[in-house]
Amino acid sequence: MAKDLSKRLLAIVDALPLRPGMRVLEIGCGPGAMAREIAGRIGGGHVLAIDRSAKVIEQARSASQAEIESGRLSLRQVTAEEFELGAGEMPYDIAVAVRVGALDGRHPEAGRRAKRRVAAALTPEGQLFIDGGDPLRTLLLDD
């Protein structure tokens, strides 16, 4: 499965505190390679991969049929700053975002809105991980 990932993305997935059965929100999923890798590592868990681009969501959907059909992966076209849990949707244990401008400091106002939305979608112990560390860093959600 990792053959779809660059060394950089593989290092990010390896650094995530993944465990079987967890729920993971990937923000800015692109064509879905990282979401598929995470889905393969969390057993009966679930990955929701979101992206603002309809085009990449369709690419991810096309490349992820096995994971979608198994119930381990779902996709949604939405921005981080507009994301909210659907009716009856359980919160996520962790979130991860790689090269997402709203969360890496490039767009501060969008970042404030996105952090509030992500915080509301996580369990009380949930954490948001972004790139820019070695290879990840935790982004505080309460500021």
Side-chain angles (χ1 to χ4, degrees), residues 21-113:
M22 77 182 328
R23 293 175 54 78
V24 178
L25 172 64
E26 184 191 355
I27 303 162
C29 67
M34 194 164 83
R36 288 188 298 277
E37 181 67 20
I38 293 168
R41 294 184 183 203
I42 58 173
H46 184 78
V47 178
L48 172 62
I50 67 171
D51 201 289
R52 68 177 54 244
S53 168
K55 181 178 179 179
V56 298
I57 288 293
E58 274 311 307
Q59 290 172 344
R61 190 176 322 283
S62 176
S64 306
Q65 283 304 302
E67 293 83 3
I68 292 168
E69 289 171 10
S70 74
R72 293 180 292 138
L73 174 64
S74 58
L75 302 162
R76 194 178 304 169
Q77 181 192 352
V78 65
T79 65
E81 56 272 24
E82 295 170 350
F83 177 74
E84 58 188 6
L85 295 176
E89 185 175 4
M90 298 296 295
Y92 292 85
D93 299 300
I94 64 169
V96 59
V98 176
R99 291 189 179 157
V100 174
L103 295 169
D104 66 11
R106 289 180 283 163
H107 304 288
E109 180 53 38
R112 284 187 281 282
R113 291 192 317 269

Coordinates of all heavy atoms in Angstrom, one line a residue, residues 21-113:
G21 N -9.0 0.7 15.1 CA -10.3 1.1 15.5 C -10.5 2.6 15.6 O -11.6 3.1 15.9
M22 N -9.4 3.4 15.4 CA -9.6 4.8 15.6 C -10.2 5.5 14.4 O -10.3 4.9 13.3 CB -8.3 5.5 16.0 CG -7.3 5.7 14.9 SD -5.7 6.4 15.4 CE -6.1 7.5 16.7
R23 N -10.7 6.7 14.7 CA -11.3 7.5 13.6 C -10.4 8.7 13.3 O -10.0 9.4 14.2 CB -12.7 8.0 14.1 CG -13.7 6.9 14.2 CD -15.1 7.4 14.8 NE -15.7 8.5 14.0 CZ -16.3 8.4 12.9 NH1 -16.5 7.2 12.3 NH2 -16.8 9.4 12.3
V24 N -10.1 8.8 12.0 CA -9.1 9.8 11.6 C -9.7 10.7 10.6 O -10.4 10.3 9.6 CB -7.8 9.1 11.0 CG1 -6.8 10.2 10.5 CG2 -7.2 8.2 12.0
L25 N -9.5 12.0 10.7 CA -9.9 13.0 9.8 C -8.7 13.5 9.1 O -7.8 14.0 9.7 CB -10.6 14.2 10.5 CG -11.0 15.4 9.7 CD1 -12.0 15.1 8.6 CD2 -11.5 16.6 10.6
E26 N -8.7 13.3 7.7 CA -7.6 13.9 7.0 C -8.1 15.1 6.2 O -9.0 15.0 5.5 CB -7.0 12.9 5.9 CG -5.8 13.6 5.3 CD -5.2 12.9 4.0 OE1 -5.7 11.7 3.7 OE2 -4.3 13.4 3.4
I27 N -7.4 16.3 6.4 CA -7.8 17.5 5.9 C -6.9 17.8 4.7 O -5.7 17.8 4.9 CB -7.7 18.6 6.9 CG1 -8.6 18.3 8.1 CG2 -8.1 20.0 6.3 CD1 -8.3 19.1 9.4
G28 N -7.5 18.1 3.5 CA -6.6 18.3 2.3 C -6.1 17.1 1.8 O -4.9 16.9 1.6
C29 N -6.9 16.1 1.5 CA -6.5 14.8 1.1 C -5.9 14.6 -0.2 O -5.3 13.6 -0.5 CB -7.7 13.8 1.3 SG -9.0 14.0 0.1
G30 N -6.1 15.6 -1.1 CA -5.6 15.4 -2.5 C -6.2 14.1 -3.1 O -7.3 13.7 -2.8
P31 N -5.4 13.4 -3.9 CA -5.9 12.2 -4.5 C -6.1 10.9 -3.6 O -6.4 9.9 -4.0 CB -4.9 11.9 -5.6 CG -3.7 12.5 -5.2 CD -4.1 13.7 -4.3
G32 N -5.8 11.1 -2.3 CA -6.2 10.1 -1.3 C -5.2 9.0 -0.9 O -5.5 8.1 -0.2
A33 N -4.0 9.2 -1.4 CA -2.9 8.1 -1.1 C -2.7 8.0 0.4 O -2.6 6.9 0.9 CB -1.6 8.4 -1.9
M34 N -2.6 9.1 1.1 CA -2.3 9.1 2.5 C -3.5 8.5 3.3 O -3.4 7.7 4.2 CB -1.9 10.4 3.1 CG -1.3 10.4 4.5 SD -0.4 11.9 5.0 CE -1.8 12.8 5.6
A35 N -4.7 8.9 2.8 CA -5.9 8.4 3.5 C -6.0 6.8 3.3 O -6.4 6.1 4.3 CB -7.2 9.0 2.9
R36 N -5.7 6.3 2.1 CA -5.7 4.9 1.9 C -4.7 4.2 2.8 O -5.0 3.1 3.4 CB -5.4 4.6 0.5 CG -6.6 4.9 -0.4 CD -6.4 4.4 -1.9 NE -5.3 5.0 -2.6 CZ -5.3 6.2 -3.2 NH1 -6.3 6.9 -3.2 NH2 -4.2 6.6 -3.8
E37 N -3.5 4.8 3.0 CA -2.5 4.2 3.8 C -2.9 4.2 5.3 O -2.8 3.2 6.0 CB -1.2 4.9 3.7 CG 0.0 4.4 4.5 CD 0.5 3.0 4.1 OE1 0.2 2.6 3.0 OE2 1.1 2.4 5.0
I38 N -3.5 5.2 5.7 CA -4.0 5.3 7.1 C -5.1 4.3 7.3 O -5.1 3.5 8.3 CB -4.5 6.7 7.5 CG1 -3.3 7.7 7.5 CG2 -5.2 6.7 8.8 CD1 -3.7 9.2 7.6
A39 N -6.0 4.2 6.3 CA -7.2 3.2 6.4 C -6.6 1.8 6.6 O -7.2 1.0 7.3 CB -8.1 3.4 5.2
G40 N -5.5 1.5 5.9 CA -5.0 0.2 5.9 C -4.3 -0.1 7.3 O -4.0 -1.3 7.6
R41 N -4.0 0.9 8.1 CA -3.3 0.7 9.3 C -4.2 0.7 10.6 O -3.8 0.4 11.6 CB -2.3 1.8 9.5 CG -1.1 1.7 8.5 CD -0.1 2.7 8.8 NE 1.0 2.7 7.8 CZ 2.2 3.2 8.0 NH1 2.5 3.7 9.2 NH2 3.1 3.2 7.1
I42 N -5.5 1.1 10.4 CA -6.3 1.2 11.6 C -7.4 0.2 11.7 O -8.4 0.3 12.4 CB -6.9 2.7 11.7 CG1 -7.7 3.0 10.4 CG2 -5.8 3.7 12.0 CD1 -8.5 4.3 10.5
G43 N -7.2 -0.9 11.0 CA -8.1 -2.0 11.1 C -9.6 -1.6 10.9 O -9.9 -1.1 9.9
G44 N -10.4 -1.8 11.9 CA -11.8 -1.5 11.8 C -12.2 -0.1 12.0 O -13.3 0.3 12.2
G45 N -11.2 0.8 12.0 CA -11.4 2.2 12.2 C -12.0 2.8 10.9 O -12.4 2.2 10.0
H46 N -11.9 4.2 10.9 CA -12.5 4.9 9.7 C -11.7 6.2 9.5 O -11.3 6.8 10.4 CB -14.0 5.2 9.9 CG -14.6 5.9 8.8 ND1 -15.0 5.1 7.7 CD2 -14.8 7.1 8.5 CE1 -15.5 5.9 6.8 NE2 -15.4 7.2 7.2
V47 N -11.5 6.4 8.2 CA -10.9 7.7 7.8 C -11.9 8.5 7.0 O -12.5 8.0 6.1 CB -9.6 7.5 6.9 CG1 -9.0 8.8 6.4 CG2 -8.6 6.6 7.6
L48 N -12.1 9.7 7.4 CA -12.8 10.7 6.5 C -11.8 11.6 5.9 O -11.1 12.3 6.7 CB -13.8 11.5 7.3 CG -14.5 12.6 6.5 CD1 -15.3 12.1 5.3 CD2 -15.4 13.5 7.4
A49 N -11.7 11.6 4.6 CA -10.8 12.5 3.9 C -11.5 13.6 3.3 O -12.5 13.4 2.5 CB -10.0 11.7 2.9
I50 N -11.1 14.8 3.5 CA -11.8 16.0 3.0 C -10.9 16.8 2.1 O -9.6 16.8 2.4 CB -12.5 16.9 4.1 CG1 -11.5 17.6 5.0 CG2 -13.5 16.0 4.9 CD1 -12.1 18.6 5.9
D51 N -11.4 17.5 1.2 CA -10.6 18.4 0.3 C -11.6 19.4 -0.2 O -12.8 19.1 -0.5 CB -9.9 17.7 -0.8 CG -8.7 18.5 -1.3 OD1 -8.9 19.5 -2.0 OD2 -7.6 18.1 -1.0
R52 N -11.1 20.6 -0.5 CA -11.9 21.7 -1.1 C -12.2 21.4 -2.6 O -13.1 22.0 -3.2 CB -11.3 23.0 -0.9 CG -10.0 23.3 -1.6 CD -9.5 24.7 -1.4 NE -9.3 25.1 -0.1 CZ -10.0 26.1 0.5 NH1 -10.8 26.8 -0.2 NH2 -9.8 26.4 1.8
S53 N -11.3 20.6 -3.2 CA -11.4 20.4 -4.7 C -12.3 19.2 -5.1 O -12.0 18.1 -4.7 CB -10.0 20.2 -5.2 OG -10.0 19.8 -6.6
A54 N -13.3 19.5 -5.9 CA -14.1 18.4 -6.4 C -13.3 17.5 -7.3 O -13.5 16.3 -7.3 CB -15.3 19.0 -7.2
K55 N -12.4 18.0 -8.0 CA -11.6 17.2 -8.9 C -10.7 16.2 -8.2 O -10.7 15.0 -8.5 CB -10.6 18.1 -9.8 CG -9.8 17.3 -10.7 CD -8.9 18.3 -11.5 CE -8.0 17.5 -12.5 NZ -7.2 18.4 -13.3
V56 N -10.1 16.6 -7.1 CA -9.3 15.6 -6.4 C -10.1 14.7 -5.5 O -9.7 13.5 -5.4 CB -8.2 16.3 -5.5 CG1 -7.2 17.0 -6.3 CG2 -8.7 17.1 -4.4
I57 N -11.3 15.1 -5.1 CA -12.2 14.2 -4.4 C -12.6 13.1 -5.4 O -12.6 11.9 -5.1 CB -13.4 14.9 -3.8 CG1 -13.0 15.7 -2.6 CG2 -14.5 13.9 -3.5 CD1 -12.5 14.9 -1.4
E58 N -12.9 13.4 -6.6 CA -13.2 12.4 -7.6 C -12.0 11.5 -7.9 O -12.2 10.3 -8.1 CB -13.7 13.0 -8.9 CG -15.2 13.3 -8.9 CD -16.0 12.1 -8.4 OE1 -15.9 11.0 -9.0 OE2 -16.8 12.3 -7.5
Q59 N -10.8 12.0 -8.0 CA -9.6 11.2 -8.2 C -9.5 10.2 -7.0 O -9.2 9.1 -7.2 CB -8.4 12.1 -8.3 CG -8.3 12.9 -9.5 CD -7.1 13.9 -9.5 OE1 -6.5 14.2 -8.5 NE2 -6.8 14.4 -10.7
A60 N -9.6 10.8 -5.8 CA -9.5 9.9 -4.6 C -10.6 8.8 -4.6 O -10.3 7.7 -4.3 CB -9.6 10.8 -3.3
R61 N -11.8 9.2 -5.0 CA -12.9 8.2 -5.0 C -12.6 7.1 -6.0 O -12.8 5.9 -5.7 CB -14.2 8.9 -5.4 CG -15.4 8.0 -5.3 CD -16.7 8.8 -5.5 NE -16.8 10.1 -5.1 CZ -17.1 10.5 -3.8 NH1 -17.2 9.7 -2.9 NH2 -17.2 11.8 -3.6
S62 N -12.1 7.5 -7.2 CA -11.7 6.5 -8.2 C -10.6 5.5 -7.7 O -10.7 4.3 -8.0 CB -11.3 7.2 -9.5 OG -10.9 6.3 -10.4
A63 N -9.6 6.1 -7.0 CA -8.5 5.3 -6.6 C -8.7 4.5 -5.3 O -7.9 3.7 -4.9 CB -7.3 6.2 -6.4
S64 N -9.9 4.8 -4.6 CA -10.1 4.2 -3.3 C -11.3 3.3 -3.1 O -11.9 3.2 -2.1 CB -10.2 5.4 -2.3 OG -9.2 6.3 -2.4
Q65 N -11.7 2.7 -4.2 CA -13.0 2.0 -4.2 C -13.0 0.9 -3.2 O -13.9 0.6 -2.5 CB -13.3 1.4 -5.6 CG -13.9 2.5 -6.5 CD -15.1 3.1 -6.0 OE1 -16.1 2.5 -5.7 NE2 -15.0 4.4 -5.8
A66 N -11.9 0.1 -3.1 CA -11.8 -1.0 -2.1 C -12.0 -0.5 -0.7 O -12.8 -1.1 0.1 CB -10.5 -1.7 -2.2
E67 N -11.3 0.6 -0.3 CA -11.4 1.2 1.0 C -12.8 1.7 1.3 O -13.4 1.6 2.4 CB -10.4 2.2 1.3 CG -9.0 1.7 1.3 CD -8.3 1.6 -0.1 OE1 -9.0 1.9 -1.2 OE2 -7.2 1.1 -0.2
I68 N -13.4 2.4 0.3 CA -14.7 2.9 0.4 C -15.8 1.8 0.6 O -16.6 1.9 1.5 CB -15.1 3.8 -0.8 CG1 -14.2 5.1 -0.8 CG2 -16.6 4.2 -0.8 CD1 -14.3 5.9 -2.0
E69 N -15.7 0.8 -0.2 CA -16.6 -0.3 -0.1 C -16.5 -1.1 1.2 O -17.5 -1.6 1.7 CB -16.4 -1.2 -1.3 CG -16.9 -0.6 -2.6 CD -16.6 -1.4 -3.9 OE1 -16.1 -2.6 -3.7 OE2 -16.7 -0.9 -5.0
S70 N -15.3 -1.1 1.8 CA -15.1 -1.8 3.0 C -15.6 -1.0 4.2 O -15.7 -1.5 5.3 CB -13.7 -2.2 3.2 OG -12.9 -1.0 3.6
G71 N -15.9 0.3 4.0 CA -16.4 1.2 5.1 C -15.2 1.8 5.8 O -15.5 2.5 6.8
R72 N -14.0 1.6 5.4 CA -12.8 2.1 6.1 C -12.5 3.6 5.7 O -11.8 4.2 6.4 CB -11.6 1.3 5.9 CG -11.7 -0.1 6.6 CD -10.5 -1.0 6.3 NE -10.4 -1.3 4.9 CZ -9.3 -1.3 4.2 NH1 -8.1 -1.0 4.7 NH2 -9.3 -1.6 2.9
L73 N -13.1 4.0 4.6 CA -12.8 5.4 4.1 C -14.0 6.0 3.5 O -14.8 5.3 2.8 CB -11.7 5.2 3.0 CG -11.3 6.5 2.3 CD1 -10.6 7.5 3.2 CD2 -10.3 6.1 1.1
S74 N -14.2 7.3 3.8 CA -15.2 8.1 3.1 C -14.6 9.4 2.7 O -13.5 9.8 3.3 CB -16.5 8.2 3.9 OG -16.1 8.9 5.2
L75 N -15.2 10.1 1.8 CA -14.7 11.3 1.2 C -15.7 12.4 1.2 O -16.9 12.0 1.1 CB -14.2 11.1 -0.3 CG -13.2 10.0 -0.5 CD1 -13.1 9.6 -1.9 CD2 -11.8 10.5 0.0
R76 N -15.3 13.6 1.4 CA -16.3 14.7 1.4 C -15.6 15.9 0.8 O -14.5 16.3 1.2 CB -16.7 15.0 2.8 CG -17.9 15.8 2.9 CD -18.4 16.0 4.4 NE -18.6 14.8 5.1 CZ -18.8 14.7 6.4 NH1 -18.8 15.7 7.1 NH2 -19.0 13.5 6.9
Q77 N -16.3 16.6 -0.1 CA -15.8 17.9 -0.6 C -16.2 19.0 0.3 O -17.4 19.3 0.4 CB -16.2 18.1 -2.0 CG -15.7 19.4 -2.6 CD -16.3 19.9 -3.8 OE1 -17.2 19.2 -4.4 NE2 -16.0 21.1 -4.3
V78 N -15.3 19.6 1.1 CA -15.5 20.7 2.0 C -14.2 21.3 2.4 O -13.2 20.6 2.4 CB -16.4 20.2 3.2 CG1 -15.6 19.2 4.0 CG2 -16.9 21.3 4.0
T79 N -14.2 22.6 2.7 CA -13.0 23.2 3.3 C -12.9 22.9 4.7 O -14.0 22.7 5.4 CB -13.1 24.7 3.0 OG1 -14.1 25.3 3.8 CG2 -13.2 25.1 1.6
A80 N -11.8 23.0 5.3 CA -11.6 22.9 6.7 C -12.4 23.9 7.5 O -13.0 23.6 8.5 CB -10.1 22.9 7.1
E81 N -12.4 25.1 7.0 CA -13.1 26.2 7.7 C -14.6 26.1 7.6 O -15.4 26.8 8.4 CB -12.6 27.6 7.3 CG -12.7 27.9 5.9 CD -11.5 27.5 5.0 OE1 -10.7 26.6 5.4 OE2 -11.3 28.1 4.0
E82 N -15.2 25.2 6.8 CA -16.6 25.0 6.7 C -17.0 23.6 7.2 O -18.2 23.2 7.2 CB -17.1 25.1 5.2 CG -16.9 26.5 4.7 CD -17.1 26.6 3.2 OE1 -17.2 25.5 2.5 OE2 -17.2 27.7 2.7
F83 N -16.0 22.7 7.6 CA -16.3 21.4 8.0 C -17.1 21.3 9.3 O -16.8 22.0 10.2 CB -15.0 20.6 8.1 CG -15.3 19.2 8.6 CD1 -15.8 18.2 7.7 CD2 -15.0 18.8 9.9 CE1 -16.0 16.9 8.1 CE2 -15.3 17.5 10.3 CZ -15.8 16.6 9.5
E84 N -18.1 20.4 9.3 CA -18.8 20.1 10.5 C -19.2 18.6 10.5 O -19.5 18.1 9.4 CB -19.9 21.0 10.9 CG -21.0 21.1 9.8 CD -22.0 22.2 10.1 OE1 -21.8 23.0 11.0 OE2 -23.0 22.3 9.4
L85 N -19.4 18.0 11.6 CA -19.9 16.7 11.7 C -21.3 16.6 11.2 O -22.1 17.5 11.4 CB -19.8 16.1 13.1 CG -18.5 16.0 13.8 CD1 -18.6 15.6 15.2 CD2 -17.6 15.0 13.0
G86 N -21.6 15.6 10.5 CA -23.0 15.3 10.0 C -23.8 14.8 11.2 O -23.3 14.4 12.2
A87 N -25.1 14.8 10.9 CA -26.1 14.2 11.9 C -25.7 12.8 12.3 O -25.5 12.0 11.4 CB -27.5 14.3 11.4
G88 N -25.5 12.5 13.5 CA -25.1 11.2 14.0 C -23.7 10.8 13.7 O -23.3 9.6 14.1
E89 N -22.9 11.6 13.1 CA -21.5 11.3 12.9 C -20.7 11.4 14.2 O -20.7 12.4 14.9 CB -20.9 12.3 11.8 CG -19.5 12.0 11.4 CD -19.0 12.9 10.2 OE1 -19.8 13.8 9.9 OE2 -17.9 12.7 9.8
M90 N -19.9 10.3 14.5 CA -19.1 10.3 15.7 C -17.9 11.2 15.5 O -17.4 11.3 14.4 CB -18.7 8.9 15.9 CG -19.8 7.9 16.2 SD -20.7 8.3 17.7 CE -19.5 8.0 18.9
P91 N -17.4 11.8 16.6 CA -16.2 12.6 16.5 C -14.9 11.8 16.1 O -14.9 10.5 16.3 CB -16.0 13.2 17.9 CG -16.8 12.4 18.8 CD -17.9 11.7 17.9
Y92 N -13.9 12.4 15.7 CA -12.6 11.8 15.3 C -11.6 11.9 16.4 O -11.6 12.8 17.2 CB -12.1 12.5 14.0 CG -13.1 12.2 12.9 CD1 -14.2 13.0 12.7 CD2 -12.9 11.1 12.1 CE1 -15.2 12.7 11.7 CE2 -13.8 10.8 11.1 CZ -14.9 11.5 10.9 OH -15.9 11.2 10.0
D93 N -10.8 10.8 16.4 CA -9.7 10.7 17.5 C -8.5 11.7 17.2 O -7.9 12.2 18.1 CB -9.2 9.3 17.6 CG -10.3 8.4 18.0 OD1 -10.9 8.6 19.1 OD2 -10.7 7.4 17.2
I94 N -8.2 11.7 15.9 CA -7.1 12.7 15.5 C -7.5 13.2 14.1 O -8.3 12.7 13.4 CB -5.7 12.0 15.4 CG1 -5.7 10.9 14.3 CG2 -5.3 11.5 16.7 CD1 -4.3 10.4 14.0
A95 N -6.8 14.4 13.8 CA -6.9 15.0 12.5 C -5.5 15.2 12.0 O -4.6 15.4 12.8 CB -7.7 16.3 12.5
V96 N -5.3 15.1 10.7 CA -4.0 15.4 10.1 C -4.2 16.2 8.9 O -5.1 16.0 8.1 CB -3.2 14.1 9.8 CG1 -4.0 13.2 8.8 CG2 -1.8 14.4 9.3
A97 N -3.3 17.2 8.7 CA -3.3 18.1 7.5 C -1.9 18.3 7.0 O -1.0 18.7 7.8 CB -4.0 19.4 7.9
V98 N -1.7 18.2 5.8 CA -0.4 18.4 5.1 C -0.6 19.4 4.0 O -1.4 19.3 3.1 CB 0.1 17.1 4.5 CG1 1.4 17.3 3.8 CG2 0.3 16.0 5.6
R99 N 0.2 20.5 4.2 CA 0.2 21.6 3.2 C -1.2 22.2 3.0 O -1.7 22.4 1.9 CB 0.7 21.2 1.9 CG 2.2 20.9 1.9 CD 2.8 20.7 0.5 NE 4.2 20.5 0.6 CZ 4.9 19.9 -0.3 NH1 4.4 19.4 -1.3 NH2 6.2 19.7 -0.1
V100 N -1.9 22.5 4.2 CA -3.2 23.1 4.1 C -3.0 24.5 4.6 O -2.7 24.8 5.8 CB -4.2 22.3 5.1 CG1 -5.5 23.1 5.1 CG2 -4.4 20.9 4.5
G101 N -3.2 25.5 3.7 CA -2.9 26.9 4.0 C -3.7 27.5 5.2 O -3.2 28.3 5.9
A102 N -4.9 27.0 5.4 CA -5.7 27.5 6.5 C -5.1 27.0 7.9 O -5.4 27.6 8.9 CB -7.1 27.0 6.4
L103 N -4.3 26.0 7.9 CA -3.7 25.5 9.1 C -2.2 25.7 9.3 O -1.7 25.5 10.4 CB -4.1 24.0 9.3 CG -5.6 23.8 9.4 CD1 -5.9 22.3 9.3 CD2 -6.1 24.4 10.7
D104 N -1.5 26.0 8.2 CA -0.1 26.2 8.4 C 0.4 27.6 8.5 O 1.6 27.9 8.4 CB 0.6 25.4 7.2 CG 0.4 26.1 5.9 OD1 -0.2 27.2 5.8 OD2 0.8 25.4 4.9
G105 N -0.6 28.5 8.7 CA -0.2 29.9 8.9 C -0.3 30.8 7.7 O -0.2 32.0 7.8
R106 N -0.5 30.3 6.5 CA -0.5 31.1 5.3 C -1.8 31.9 5.2 O -1.8 33.0 4.6 CB -0.4 30.2 4.1 CG 1.0 29.7 3.9 CD 1.1 28.8 2.6 NE 0.5 27.5 2.9 CZ 0.1 26.7 1.9 NH1 0.2 27.0 0.7 NH2 -0.4 25.5 2.3
H107 N -2.9 31.5 5.9 CA -4.2 32.2 5.8 C -4.8 32.3 7.2 O -5.6 31.5 7.6 CB -5.1 31.5 4.9 CG -4.6 31.3 3.5 ND1 -4.4 32.3 2.6 CD2 -4.1 30.2 2.9 CE1 -3.9 31.8 1.5 NE2 -3.7 30.5 1.6
P108 N -4.3 33.3 8.0 CA -4.6 33.3 9.4 C -6.1 33.3 9.8 O -6.6 32.6 10.7 CB -3.9 34.6 9.9 CG -2.8 34.8 8.9 CD -3.3 34.3 7.6
E109 N -6.9 34.1 9.1 CA -8.3 34.2 9.4 C -9.0 32.8 9.1 O -9.8 32.3 9.9 CB -9.0 35.3 8.7 CG -10.5 35.4 9.0 CD -10.8 35.5 10.5 OE1 -10.1 36.1 11.2 OE2 -11.9 34.9 10.9
A110 N -8.7 32.3 7.9 CA -9.3 31.0 7.6 C -8.8 29.9 8.6 O -9.5 29.0 9.0 CB -8.9 30.5 6.2
G111 N -7.6 30.1 9.1 CA -7.0 29.2 10.1 C -7.8 29.2 11.4 O -8.0 28.2 12.0
R112 N -8.1 30.4 11.8 CA -8.9 30.5 13.1 C -10.3 29.8 12.9 O -10.7 29.1 13.8 CB -9.1 32.0 13.4 CG -7.9 32.6 14.0 CD -8.2 34.1 14.5 NE -8.2 35.0 13.5 CZ -7.1 35.6 12.9 NH1 -5.9 35.2 13.3 NH2 -7.2 36.5 11.9
R113 N -10.9 30.0 11.8 CA -12.2 29.3 11.6 C -12.0 27.8 11.5 O -12.8 27.0 12.0 CB -12.9 29.9 10.3 CG -13.4 31.3 10.4 CD -14.3 31.7 9.3 NE -13.8 31.4 8.0 CZ -13.1 32.1 7.2 NH1 -12.6 33.3 7.6 NH2 -12.8 31.7 6.0

